[in-house]
Amino acid sequence: MDAAAASRVQGLLQAAGDALRRRQDIVRAVQWGFVALYLFLLLAPLLRPLAPAHGALFARIAGWAEALFWGFWWPAVILGMMLFGQFWCGVLCPDGAVTEFASRHGRGLKIPPWMRRAALPLVLFALIVLYEHLSGARHSHGGTLLVLGTVSLAALLTGLLYGRGKRVWCRYLCPTASIFSMLARCAVLHFKVDRQAWDAAPRPLPGAVDCPLLLDVRRLRSNEKCSMCGRCSGHRDAVRLALRAPGHELATLGDDEVRVWEAAGILFVLIGLFYGAMHWQGSVWHGWLSGLVTGVPAGLLAILGAAGALGGSIALLLLGAARGRGLPACKLAYALIPLGGAGLMLGAMEHSFAILQREGVALGAAQLYGLRAAVLALAAAWSGAIGLRLCAAGGLARVPCLAAVLALAGAYLLAPVALG
């Protein structure tokens, strides 16, 4: 891209970011439209016993809810996070709109210390994933209502209790935010802050940024927590929506930005737990364990066994690449986020395939394996490129790093297919 084209693109992006800031009235209208659609799909099927003559209609609505929530929304949001950042969270998410509205009219309590524990959302998400896949919640409207409804109710209650017009839920408790914050670091879009322009802004200075996630915008360097709501765009002529290379944030990660618990979350939750949860029913683990225990314990052990085996194997390869040093190995784990996100998206799309099959669309394992191969080739190249940059910068061994990427891609490609 030449300089003139780059300038035009940057101008369009800056205009888009500024439009988000100026037209928060439109953003709120869109958010409440999504709230209405979400509540309709979630709650309308509950009216079925009250109107038995319209049972077929309510059953169809329940089918639409499953298709939209799990067949379309989940894979689309995962891909959107990896490419464009957390625009879903800041502009469209129903739970975000509800918790912020409740916080404007709630008690405004101080955020308690236990809520600030960084790993808490990841732990909550892991528990939800285990329940969802062991109970088959995605395959019934009651299960969907229990999972999504509980999360939405928790978001509402958090808003009523804590903060003043802020999204305390989104910042500290939202389970999906723990995964979204990882994936968003791959994105090509971010709100870039020019610290020098910020500090040199002429007086009179504008008021403070109304950041719903309570971020220190002046020191914002990462897409990790930014919900891309646009409310800071243009502030002090120092904040703008900008383009960057895919995975740039991961490839330039500083030692002070590496967290051991987050690296473990990448390996054993984003990669291991999701892999085990999505493919446990057709796995060797489950077949062997079924001969020893039955029901939920067999499934739970199969998921945890697969998570430990896959995450642990990749961790050993990364330790080899880091020559036994913990911090560099943890940093290399971040390079696997694009590939882990691709595996997560493919697992979600597999459920989409199953929904289409039920509707009579002829799909089989061959199509799914073809899709897997295409997506994983791109994602492996992406993770491999980031890993090689980190190896070059830190003097790490390239072969074990690439072996980790290829081993993970192979595990996703050859995972059991569960269509039909």
Side-chain angles (χ1 to χ4, degrees):
M1 185 184 298
D2 59 32
S7 178
R8 286 194 297 272
V9 170
Q10 180 52 55
L12 290 172
L13 289 174
Q14 187 167 348
D18 291 346
L20 282 175
R21 172 180 53 81
R22 290 195 311 270
R23 299 314 307 265
Q24 282 293 304
D25 55 338
I26 295 178
V27 172
R28 283 191 291 272
V30 171
Q31 287 175 339
W32 286 106
F34 269 82
V35 170
L37 176 62
Y38 171 71
L39 292 176
F40 172 74
L41 292 172
L42 201 62
L43 301 177
L46 298 179
L47 302 176
R48 185 174 182 179
L50 302 178
H54 300 285
L57 173 61
F58 289 115
R60 192 174 304 148
I61 293 173
W64 293 341
E66 181 188 357
L68 284 174
F69 288 144
W70 305 117
F72 175 75
W73 168 79
W74 186 225
V77 168
I78 293 167
L79 180 61
M81 293 288 166
M82 296 178 66
L83 296 180
F84 308 118
Q86 301 183 66
F87 279 105
W88 163 263
C89 301
V91 179
L92 301 174
C93 178
D95 288 345
V98 167
T99 197
E100 183 175 353
F101 176 80
S103 181
R104 294 189 187 281
H105 305 278
R107 297 184 61 189
L109 298 179
K110 184 179 178 180
I111 301 169
W114 65 264
M115 194 180 288
R116 297 178 183 269
R117 295 183 182 274
L120 179 58
L122 189 64
V123 173
L124 294 174
F125 194 70
L127 294 174
I128 290 174
V129 168
L130 286 172
Y131 170 77
E132 176 192 328
H133 287 271
L134 288 171
S135 67
R138 291 184 301 170
H139 301 285
S140 71
H141 182 263
T144 298
L145 176 62
L146 180 60
V147 172
L148 298 184
T150 300
V151 171
S152 297
L153 182 60
L156 173 63
L157 292 176
T158 302
L160 289 173
L161 290 174
Y162 301 106
R164 294 189 180 278
K166 301 299 182 182
R167 298 190 176 192
V168 174
W169 165 263
C170 305
R171 172 70 185 273
Y172 294 109
L173 290 177
C174 177
T176 54
S178 62
I179 298 300
F180 291 166
S181 64
M182 296 179 188
L183 302 181
R185 302 178 89 164
C186 305
V188 298
L189 296 180
H190 70 136
F191 277 96
K192 184 177 182 180
V193 180
D194 184 335
R195 289 278 294 273
Q196 288 185 336
W198 182 290
D199 293 337
R203 297 181 182 275
L205 296 175
V209 175
D210 178 26
C211 178
L213 268 70
L214 300 165
L215 300 179
D216 183 353
V217 177
R218 179 177 176 272
R219 293 179 172 81
L220 188 66
R221 294 190 301 169
S222 171
N223 253 17
E224 178 188 7
K225 293 297 183 183
C226 177
S227 66
M228 309 293 281
C229 67
R231 298 184 201 182
C232 62
S233 185
H235 190 75
R236 296 194 180 196
D237 290 327
V239 185
R240 69 182 190 274
L241 185 62
L243 199 64
R244 61 183 183 179
H248 173 78
E249 183 177 330
L250 299 173
T252 58
L253 203 66
D255 289 348
D256 60 328
E257 298 175 276
V258 177
R259 308 179 189 97
V260 174
W261 68 264
E262 193 170 36
I266 294 167
L267 294 175
F268 294 100
V269 179
L270 175 63
I271 292 173
L273 186 65
F274 271 116
Y275 179 91
M278 290 173 180
H279 306 294
W280 66 275
Q281 290 179 311
S283 68
V284 174
W285 294 91
H286 187 238
W288 177 70
L289 287 166
S290 295
L292 301 176
V293 291
T294 58
V296 171
L300 178 61
L301 291 174
I303 292 173
L304 296 180
L310 181 59
S313 299
I314 300 300
L316 289 175
L317 288 171
L318 296 182
L319 273 172
R323 298 182 172 90
R325 292 176 292 160
L327 182 62
C330 289
K331 184 183 287 190
L332 285 178
Y334 287 81
L336 298 177
I337 290 177
L339 189 51
L344 175 60
M345 184 184 72
L346 286 170
M349 292 182 70
E350 189 167 319
H351 186 64
S352 305
F353 273 42
I355 293 173
L356 290 173
Q357 269 196 339
R358 292 205 307 267
E359 297 300 319
V361 179
L363 294 169
Q367 288 93 333
L368 181 57
Y369 278 118
L371 177 65
R372 282 182 180 179
V375 172
L376 290 172
L378 293 173
W382 192 358
S383 280
I386 296 171
L388 289 177
R389 285 189 62 181
L390 291 174
C391 286
L396 309 179
R398 298 181 178 183
V399 172
C401 177
L402 291 178
V405 172
L406 293 175
L408 181 56
Y412 285 136
L413 180 62
L414 301 176
V417 174
L419 293 178

